[in-house]
Amino acid sequence: MAHVKLHIPGPVEVSEKTFKAFCSPMIGHRGQGFKDLYAKIQPQLQTLLSTKQLVYISTSSAWGVMEGAVRNLTQKKVLNCMCGAFSDKWLDVAKKCGKQAEALQVEWGSPIRAEAIDKQLATGEFDSLTLIHNETSTGVMSPLAEIAALKKKYPDVMFIVDAVSSMTAVPLKFDELGIDVLLAGTQKAFALPPGTAVFVASPAALAKAATAKDRGYYFDFVEFQKNAEQSMTPSTPSIGHVYALSSKLDDFFAEGLEARYARHAKTNQMTRDWAAKHGFNLFPEKGFESITLTCVSNGARPGGRTVDVAKLQKLVKDQGFLIDGGYGKIKGTTFRLSNMGDETEATMNQLYAALDKAMTQL
Ligand SMILES: *Cc1c(COP(=O)(O)O)cnc(C)c1O
């Protein structure tokens, strides 16, 4: 079957080079070969996230670490900042872990603002919060620096941040932000196959995790730290992913991180321009649009063009591209176009050409 190129916001297209690295001959995860591999990528990951902390590799999708972070770091009550499908779900996940949890819900399409969090944390009820930097379902990027600045006012609250669809596409300076956990799955902006997550924890988070009696085994942060100190993972990792991550990190630094960030900003602007050219509005509140994907309004916002999204998807798919028809309750009234990962101006232009052609056939 002919491959349909992925322009959905995850998983995204994976390069031949990455697949080759993924298929490197297998090695033992307690041997020197693996330790050398992890030790080689550790400083690259630390540079990527601007941190002195050890960066961990988890063989799970992002949700594994998202659940694990709540189990490691919530003893009193967690504040779940909710503005879309993924961030909303974190509340259920916390409750399913038996945690006291409360929603800070804003309307889909709006970002989470620092003032709203401040108000909640001022109650003194919370010892942790969850935040999604780039809410992939709505295409909204919340102002992370502004929110992270609250950490100074509430040093005992653990700030757990999901950067699943923004990590590697925008600068994320972990130590400078001062937050406690930053995590991402590999199938989004990293452009690796799904099945692995990358995360980092603050010294305060590790100290707190050590006091959590019910933090579980598989996502025990203390175990991740102990093992990372030896360039290992707590359990057998997906070694193919680690090879692929190594190859990918080499790509990032060959391109240059700043160039990578600029490329994402540029290709995202091109997608917004494509939407405007066809009379569409964007779904996110102005000024908070993601730069890794574009959530186009198709009736979810007043005014603007609307089309038969299912038909648009089919017409584009027939030309070899997969786009997303909207997520959860905004399925059909929005659609999403991803520019994350390896996409360039040239490859995005191929997508726009297919979309342009499809628009004439609707
Ligand atoms: C995709 C996504 C997730 C879920 O990731 P899984 O890999 O399916 O666990 C969580 N958060 C955000 C922001 C995402 O985009």
Side-chain angles (χ1 to χ4, degrees):
M1 215 170 67
H3 175 63
V4 179
K5 189 182 171 194
L6 301 181
H7 272 283
I8 53 173
V12 305
E13 196 66 13
V14 175
S15 73
E16 281 299 319
K17 175 178 182 274
T18 302
F19 274 128
K20 281 213 180 87
F22 196 95
C23 294
S24 299
M26 203 40 61
I27 54 174
H29 69 297
R30 299 293 180 221
Q32 197 56 45
F34 182 81
K35 290 185 182 189
D36 290 346
L37 178 62
Y38 195 178
K40 176 258 173 194
I41 66 172
Q42 183 60 255
Q44 293 178 308
L45 288 168
Q46 288 173 313
T47 302
L48 176 70
L49 301 178
S50 299
T51 184
K52 290 193 173 67
Q53 293 298 105
L54 293 173
V55 181
Y56 313 133
I57 299 166
S58 169
T59 296
S60 63
S61 79
W63 272 116
V65 179
M66 291 163 78
E67 173 173 326
V70 167
R71 297 185 69 179
N72 275 267
L73 301 177
T74 304
Q75 291 177 20
K76 231 155 74 179
K77 191 173 182 184
V78 57
L79 179 68
N80 300 109
C81 303
M82 294 155 52
C83 62
F86 294 104
S87 47
D88 288 8
K89 198 177 175 75
W90 221 336
L91 174 74
D92 302 334
V93 171
K95 286 180 176 167
K96 281 179 177 166
C97 291
K99 300 297 180 187
Q100 294 283 332
E102 195 171 311
L104 193 177
Q105 178 86 64
V106 304
E107 217 178 300
W108 283 29
S110 293
I112 301 290
R113 304 304 302 261
E115 306 88 78
I117 296 178
D118 192 3
K119 221 184 248 170
Q120 289 299 315
L121 295 186
T123 63
E125 284 178 37
F126 302 98
D127 67 342
S128 64
L129 70 83
T130 65
L131 173 80
I132 290 189
H133 176 220
N134 192 58
E135 174 52 71
T136 318
S137 63
T138 60
V140 168
M141 207 172 247
S142 286
L144 179 57
E146 180 185 312
I147 293 165
L150 286 172
K151 178 72 190 177
K152 284 203 178 69
K153 192 167 170 190
Y154 304 102
D156 296 335
V157 177
M158 294 286 121
F159 281 47
I160 305 164
V161 179
D162 162 327
V164 173
S165 57
S166 58
M167 191 183 283
T168 84
V170 296
L172 291 168
K173 300 188 175 186
F174 181 72
D175 293 357
E176 202 177 299
L177 285 166
I179 55 177
D180 296 289
V181 176
L182 185 64
L183 69 101
T186 54
Q187 80 275 26
K188 306 271 170 95
F190 275 95
L192 293 172
T196 288
V198 167
F199 72 108
V200 59
S202 68
L206 290 171
K208 180 151 191 196
T211 69
K213 289 188 188 68
D214 56 355
R215 63 185 185 268
Y217 164 69
Y218 195 73
F219 297 105
D220 179 350
F221 284 9
V222 178
E223 283 297 318
F224 271 93
Q225 173 64 22
K226 260 198 237 161
N227 277 276
E229 283 167 5
Q230 310 294 321
S231 296
M232 288 192 294
T233 52
S235 36
T236 319
S238 170
I239 292 168
H241 272 98
V242 187
Y243 276 119
L245 178 58
S246 172
S247 162
K248 205 75 227 179
L249 285 161
D250 290 347
D251 296 348
F252 295 171
F253 290 103
E255 179 181 13
L257 294 179
E258 291 308 321
R260 183 177 176 79
Y261 304 146
R263 174 165 59 76
H264 278 88
K266 179 73 207 272
T267 52
N268 186 259
Q269 186 56 52
M270 289 165 66
T271 307
R272 293 184 206 181
D273 293 346
W274 176 86
K277 184 180 92 179
H278 286 278
F280 289 109
N281 288 335
L282 300 184
F283 183 65
E285 191 177 314
K286 240 188 170 37
F288 299 97
E289 300 90 347
S290 165
I291 65 115
T292 59
L293 74 137
T294 303
C295 186
V296 180
S297 170
N298 186 56
R301 292 269 171 252
R305 180 98 172 248
T306 59
V307 293
D308 180 340
V309 169
K311 198 162 170 202
L312 175 67
Q313 283 178 292
K314 173 155 194 324
L315 289 166
V316 172
K317 191 175 179 185
D318 290 345
Q319 299 175 75
F321 301 94
L322 193 68
I323 62 167
D324 174 87
Y327 197 105
K329 65 184 182 195
I330 51 172
K331 184 179 162 79
T333 60
T334 60
F335 61 92
R336 299 178 301 166
L337 305 170
S338 165
N339 62 292
M340 65 181 95
D342 299 336
E343 303 307 335
T344 62
E345 291 178 44
T347 65
M348 290 305 292
N349 278 326
Q350 292 167 359
L351 173 69
Y352 308 137
L355 284 161
D356 282 342
K357 188 169 171 207
M359 291 297 288
T360 67
Q361 297 168 340
L362 282 168

